[in-house]
Amino acid sequence: MNLFIRDARLPDQTDPVHISIQDGRIQAIGAGITLTDPDIPVLDAHGLAATPPLVNGHTHASMTLFRGFGDDMPLMQWLQTRIWPAEARLNEEDVYWGARLACLEMIRSGTVAFEDMYWHFHGMARAVEESGLKAGVGAVMIDVAGPEQGQACRKLTEKTFEESSRYSNRVRFTLTPHAIYTVSPESLRWTAAFSERHDLPVHIHLSETWHEVETCLKNHGVRPAVHLDRQGLLTPRVILAHGVWLDDEELDLIAARGATLVTNPVSNMKLAVGGVFPFAKAAARNIPIALGSDGAASNNTLDLFQEMKFLALIQKHAQHDPTALPAHQVWEVATGAKAPQLGQCAQLTVGAPADLLLLRHHEPEMTPEHDLISNLVYSATGHIVDTTIVSGRILMQNRMVPNEEEIRREARERAQRVCSP
Amino acid sequence: MNLFIRDARLPDQTDPVHISIQDGRIQAIGAGITLTDPDIPVLDAHGLAATPPLVNGHTHASMTLFRGFGDDMPLMQWLQTRIWPAEARLNEEDVYWGARLACLEMIRSGTVAFEDMYWHFHGMARAVEESGLKAGVGAVMIDVAGPEQGQACRKLTEKTFEESSRYSNRVRFTLTPHAIYTVSPESLRWTAAFSERHDLPVHIHLSETWHEVETCLKNHGVRPAVHLDRQGLLTPRVILAHGVWLDDEELDLIAARGATLVTNPVSNMKLAVGGVFPFAKAAARNIPIALGSDGAASNNTLDLFQEMKFLALIQKHAQHDPTALPAHQVWEVATGAKAPQLGQCAQLTVGAPADLLLLRHHEPEMTPEHDLISNLVYSATGHIVDTTIVSGRILMQNRMVPNEEEIRREARERAQRVCSP
């Protein structure tokens, strides 16, 4: 895809620049560059700021169908009476439309890449393919029912992996064992071997609740990260979601193994897990860190602009320090600059994939502009995103996304059906 | 002001209704009512939800000029090197334009009434008058410099009170002693007497930081609420901002006296005061509670839709309970339904002032709609507000506010000047 963006402002500069995109990559940036090929479309970005896009390190996209379906309930009652019965009714088309709604929401709030974990791989993968976004997609693995379920899961994973070649490279096949308390050591070890053999990323929940830590200590005699490491599943290919209760020893281990941590502040607060992700300790060990929204059922939005503010504020609150996690650091985390494993280029530089946002940085809530990044983290919402571009392709311009009406209607109807007893 | 709103949806109903407004009040609501006078303007609200507006119980509106000016700094360094020098350069026109920007932001995010505390009363009052909003406005009182400053403050308050009669009843003159650590007992007692004599509301910071509690114990031998009560300043006319560190005895006292508490979750977290407002204990005592944004310098937005989510989530987190402070209760607090002292009618009922919002409840982040109030609290931002109406007068329609461009430009220029050394 080729595109010439005229007169965009970069966050650290006052004079506007032009951005030339060729074959989906940034070919040149500067005030002096000119459009040489009259056939290349021109995008007028006057009054807009160009920034890297945001990256969602942990979500269950199709759970948009369950947004607001049983908020404020005790966890087990919510799962048993609302989520599980509804999930049992989900088919691949439901997952597809739920994911389309999630992708629509992400495009509108400036997220271009995400790590997903859910059922019905092909529903999810098709939605990513058609939306124009990038995602790590997996077929979730749970084998609490015993060895037969484990075998079926592993077989499904192998089959799905083969089938995943039908998608473009925007769909990255990912191994998604659910968690240490829902996946057997045997299946975890199998996942580790499969990941190594095919060089595949792994995405798993870890240390979300204190109950998980206690159960792991009781069943395995060690804390969650140590247990995972013993199954061979702490590697640079592994993405660990939550990590609320990790202790110093576990953080040392994760740092040594090179795994990535994803913090989900809104979900952790909404479900009242009690603890706060040990950001300062993880950052001090140079552990790669990304930001995640978790699913819409426990958030309830996928807007990472809002999530950035929660990240900064819960860390300041928990550390009793207003200087903790300043805005510029939050911005780095949310754009994926601190988590190279997520594969997103967080810099607008020549040669990088042309993934970028054009932002309405003059909105009233962004005025005055003493510090654009401060405004982005503490005052903006996803609604300031005017234009979302992936690999030079415009997914939204002037806040208009094609097929929005159809996606909202289909998702609404399917949500109603799967949530009706 | 007369207006006929056609086809709006109410939160608890599925079929649309019409709303007839006469002389600034709701005259009728229902599906069956008709427009009798062809001269009354008609507003088509098809696809929009009508709700009560939000009320901001504590802010310093003109501090929008300092949005993002020194975030993430230690408190005293921030005040001494940034805020105080800049405030010393503020004139009445600066305060006026900062407040116009704040009012613009509030209109755009569905807040129609607020309690303010700042310098240059007339700058603030003019901005409220011209914006069309409603506000409690005061001339802030601080007499740390000694008895002469106290006398000057009291004189200024008397003079300002007299002058305040020049404004409409949308500007409610309010006594605004800053806090117990910046106002002498003598001036607090004078404020109590003046409030009683003229039946005026009082708006004061209370128990925001632990340092305030310690200092009060050291200087007066009692905790802040007790000290305030001893000066006669706990009455049903009094609005107490923050209240983070109130203990059981103080809450009993506040409940007995009928004062109103305003919680400011974002500001408390951003400035890392350490504690969390004791919501459950205050609510159990039937203390009136409202929601506040505090000033934009410590938030950095005035969008109460975002603030609602912070309120719910920090309470769930602090109470280790996902069922704490459910969405419907948060909505009541944010609309002022729990704080009658703030004077805002939180119900769309016949005879009530025609203050209301029309919301874009079909936006992608509001889809599906299992529960509209859940969506409003956990997923919405102020950007879903389509139309803001005060006393039947349309302040924003289709997200367009008159003079927006001029307000942004003036505020930007003035912010630059007052923040330049």
Side-chain angles (χ1 to χ4, degrees):
Chain A
M1 308 295 287
N2 299 335
L3 184 65
F4 191 85
I5 300 172
R6 202 190 285 284
D7 284 333
R9 236 206 67 195
L10 298 178
D12 50 354
Q13 297 177 18
T14 47
D15 293 327
V17 298
H18 313 312
I19 303 172
S20 171
I21 296 168
Q22 269 204 339
D23 300 326
R25 291 190 173 265
I26 297 175
Q27 186 220 18
I29 307 183
I33 66 171
T34 51
L35 182 64
T36 47
D37 181 348
D39 288 339
I40 291 178
V42 175
L43 196 164
D44 179 13
H46 180 77
L48 301 174
T51 71
L54 307 185
V55 182
N56 194 336
H58 175 63
T59 190
H60 314 283
S62 300
M63 292 188 87
T64 49
L65 298 180
F66 308 133
R67 191 199 313 276
F69 181 56
D71 289 321
D72 311 315
M73 290 171 75
L75 182 67
M76 285 318 292
Q77 188 188 336
W78 175 63
L79 289 172
Q80 287 171 355
T81 67
R82 300 291 176 98
I83 297 300
W84 290 343
E87 284 190 335
R89 282 188 287 267
L90 278 180
N91 61 38
E92 189 184 306
E93 279 303 290
D94 298 327
V95 167
Y96 167 78
W97 284 107
R100 284 302 300 266
L101 177 61
C103 291
L104 171 62
E105 202 186 336
M106 287 191 263
I107 290 168
R108 282 169 46 94
S109 54
T111 292
V112 308
F114 62 101
E115 299 296 330
D116 199 72
M117 178 195 291
Y118 212 54
W119 315 98
H120 299 290
F121 175 88
H122 292 294
M124 186 67 222
R126 273 198 292 130
V128 172
E129 197 75 338
E130 294 173 23
S131 71
L133 294 181
K134 302 172 172 179
V137 183
V140 73
M141 178 181 279
I142 289 181
D143 63 358
V144 279
E148 278 175 34
Q149 191 185 20
Q151 205 165 26
C153 268
R154 298 195 291 271
K155 217 165 166 178
L156 177 67
T157 299
E158 285 175 335
K159 178 169 169 279
T160 312
F161 172 53
E162 276 175 34
E163 293 166 350
S164 70
S165 63
R166 72 175 74 150
Y167 302 105
S168 77
N169 62 7
R170 284 190 289 101
V171 175
R172 190 170 57 146
F173 184 83
T174 300
L175 296 165
T176 49
H178 176 264
I180 56 166
Y181 55 93
T182 45
V183 183
S184 63
E186 189 188 356
S187 287
L188 290 176
R189 285 194 299 274
W190 179 88
T191 301
F194 199 79
S195 163
E196 187 172 4
R197 188 172 341 128
H198 300 286
D199 191 23
L200 293 174
V202 181
H203 177 190
I204 186 170
H205 296 101
L206 191 78
S207 203
E208 180 176 4
T209 65
W210 182 245
H211 180 71
E212 175 183 344
V213 179
E214 281 184 323
T215 310
C216 188
L217 280 166
K218 192 178 135 209
N219 291 347
H220 307 292
V222 292
R223 288 174 73 110
V226 178
H227 174 63
L228 204 61
D229 188 51
R230 290 188 181 173
Q231 317 315 316
L233 259 184
L234 276 191
T235 76
R237 290 183 301 276
V238 175
I239 298 161
L240 308 166
H242 296 292
V244 172
W245 298 99
L246 297 168
D247 70 6
D248 290 357
E249 192 195 338
E250 289 177 288
L251 290 168
D252 287 342
L253 189 59
I254 289 167
R257 299 290 188 260
T260 296
L261 281 169
V262 179
T263 178
N264 300 267
V266 167
S267 170
N268 295 157
M269 291 174 75
K270 185 152 181 277
L271 300 180
V273 299
V276 172
F277 175 72
F279 192 99
K281 288 180 171 189
R285 287 164 172 82
N286 289 316
I287 296 173
I289 305 173
L291 182 63
S293 66
D294 210 343
S298 57
N299 188 308
N300 298 349
T301 164
L302 304 179
D303 177 358
L304 290 186
F305 278 92
Q306 293 179 64
E307 194 86 28
M308 283 197 285
K309 188 171 182 176
F310 274 96
L311 171 59
L313 267 52
I314 192 64
Q315 289 294 331
K316 290 176 194 297
H317 171 72
Q319 296 180 40
H320 295 207
D321 179 3
T323 72
L325 205 33
H328 287 250
Q329 203 177 343
V330 175
W331 179 250
E332 284 186 334
V333 170
T335 53
K338 293 293 180 188
Q341 154 70 358
L342 298 190
Q344 188 60 25
C345 180
Q347 296 293 330
L348 301 187
T349 49
V350 172
D355 298 351
L356 59 96
L357 308 178
L358 298 174
L359 306 177
R360 298 178 174 176
H361 67 111
H362 293 314
E363 293 284 280
E365 71 268 29
M366 305 284 286
T367 305
E369 194 176 296
H370 295 299
D371 185 328
L372 176 58
I373 300 296
S374 250
N375 282 353
L376 292 176
V377 171
Y378 294 127
S379 198
T381 69
H383 282 266
I384 67 151
V385 181
D386 180 276
T387 300
T388 302
I389 296 171
V390 174
S391 301
R393 181 177 162 210
I394 299 172
L395 304 186
M396 174 173 78
Q397 188 172 7
N398 196 23
R399 292 202 63 69
M400 306 291 280
V401 182
N403 305 327
E404 180 182 316
E405 181 77 28
E406 180 195 13
I407 294 167
R408 284 193 280 125
R409 190 187 58 243
E410 280 282 349
R412 195 164 48 234
E413 287 172 10
R414 285 169 186 277
Q416 204 161 20
R417 185 180 57 73
V418 298
C419 293
S420 300
Chain B
M1 309 293 289
N2 299 335
L3 184 66
F4 192 85
I5 300 172
R6 202 191 285 283
D7 284 334
R9 235 207 68 196
L10 298 178
D12 50 355
Q13 298 177 18
T14 46
D15 293 326
V17 297
H18 314 312
I19 303 171
S20 170
I21 295 168
Q22 268 205 338
D23 300 326
R25 290 188 174 267
I26 297 175
Q27 187 221 15
I29 307 184
I33 66 171
T34 52
L35 182 64
T36 47
D37 181 348
D39 289 340
I40 290 178
V42 174
L43 197 164
D44 179 12
H46 180 77
L48 301 173
T51 71
L54 307 184
V55 182
N56 193 335
H58 175 62
T59 190
H60 313 282
S62 299
M63 292 188 86
T64 49
L65 298 180
F66 307 133
R67 190 199 314 276
F69 181 57
D71 288 321
D72 311 315
M73 290 171 73
L75 182 67
M76 285 317 292
Q77 188 188 335
W78 174 63
L79 289 173
Q80 287 172 353
T81 68
R82 299 290 177 99
I83 298 300
W84 289 343
E87 284 191 334
R89 281 188 287 269
L90 280 180
N91 60 38
E92 188 184 307
E93 279 303 290
D94 299 325
V95 166
Y96 167 79
W97 285 105
R100 284 302 300 267
L101 176 62
C103 291
L104 171 62
E105 201 185 339
M106 287 191 264
I107 290 168
R108 283 168 47 94
S109 54
T111 292
V112 308
F114 62 101
E115 298 296 329
D116 199 72
M117 180 195 288
Y118 212 55
W119 316 98
H120 299 290
F121 175 89
H122 292 294
M124 187 66 222
R126 272 197 293 131
V128 172
E129 196 76 338
E130 293 173 23
S131 71
L133 294 180
K134 301 171 172 180
V137 183
V140 70
M141 179 183 276
I142 289 180
D143 63 357
V144 279
E148 276 173 35
Q149 193 187 17
Q151 204 165 28
C153 269
R154 300 194 290 270
K155 216 163 165 179
L156 177 66
T157 300
E158 286 176 333
K159 179 168 168 278
T160 311
F161 172 53
E162 277 176 34
E163 291 166 351
S164 70
S165 63
R166 73 175 74 150
Y167 302 105
S168 77
N169 61 8
R170 284 190 288 101
V171 175
R172 189 170 59 147
F173 184 82
T174 300
L175 296 165
T176 49
H178 175 265
I180 56 166
Y181 55 92
T182 44
V183 183
S184 63
E186 189 188 357
S187 286
L188 291 175
R189 286 195 298 274
W190 180 87
T191 301
F194 199 79
S195 163
E196 188 172 5
R197 191 174 336 132
H198 300 285
D199 192 23
L200 293 173
V202 180
H203 177 189
I204 186 170
H205 295 101
L206 191 78
S207 203
E208 180 176 4
T209 65
W210 181 246
H211 179 71
E212 176 184 343
V213 179
E214 282 184 322
T215 309
C216 188
L217 280 166
K218 192 176 134 211
N219 292 345
H220 307 294
V222 291
R223 288 174 73 111
V226 179
H227 173 65
L228 203 60
D229 188 52
R230 289 189 180 172
Q231 318 314 316
L233 259 183
L234 276 192
T235 76
R237 290 183 301 275
V238 175
I239 299 162
L240 307 166
H242 296 293
V244 172
W245 298 99
L246 297 168
D247 70 7
D248 290 359
E249 192 195 336
E250 289 177 289
L251 290 168
D252 287 342
L253 190 58
I254 290 166
R257 299 289 188 262
T260 297
L261 281 169
V262 180
T263 179
N264 300 266
V266 167
S267 170
N268 295 159
M269 290 175 76
K270 185 153 181 276
L271 300 180
V273 299
V276 173
F277 176 73
F279 192 98
K281 289 181 171 190
R285 287 165 172 81
N286 288 315
I287 296 174
I289 306 174
L291 182 62
S293 66
D294 210 342
S298 56
N299 188 310
N300 300 346
T301 163
L302 305 179
D303 177 357
L304 290 186
F305 278 92
Q306 292 180 64
E307 194 87 29
M308 282 196 286
K309 188 170 182 177
F310 274 97
L311 171 60
L313 267 54
I314 191 65
Q315 289 295 332
K316 290 175 194 298
H317 172 72
Q319 296 179 41
H320 295 208
D321 180 1
T323 72
L325 205 36
H328 288 250
Q329 203 177 343
V330 175
W331 178 251
E332 285 185 332
V333 169
T335 53
K338 293 294 182 188
Q341 154 70 358
L342 298 189
Q344 189 60 24
C345 179
Q347 296 293 330
L348 301 188
T349 48
V350 172
D355 299 351
L356 58 95
L357 309 178
L358 297 174
L359 305 177
R360 299 177 175 177
H361 67 112
H362 293 314
E363 293 284 280
E365 72 268 29
M366 306 284 286
T367 304
E369 193 176 297
H370 295 298
D371 184 328
L372 176 57
I373 300 296
S374 250
N375 283 353
L376 292 176
V377 171
Y378 294 128
S379 197
T381 69
H383 282 266
I384 67 151
V385 181
D386 180 275
T387 300
T388 302
I389 295 172
V390 175
S391 301
R393 182 178 161 207
I394 299 171
L395 304 186
M396 174 172 80
Q397 188 172 6
N398 196 21
R399 292 204 63 68
M400 306 290 280
V401 183
N403 305 324
E404 180 180 317
E405 181 77 28
E406 180 194 12
I407 294 168
R408 284 194 280 125
R409 189 186 58 242
E410 279 282 347
R412 196 163 50 234
E413 288 172 8
R414 285 169 186 277
Q416 203 161 20
R417 184 180 58 72
V418 298
C419 293
S420 302

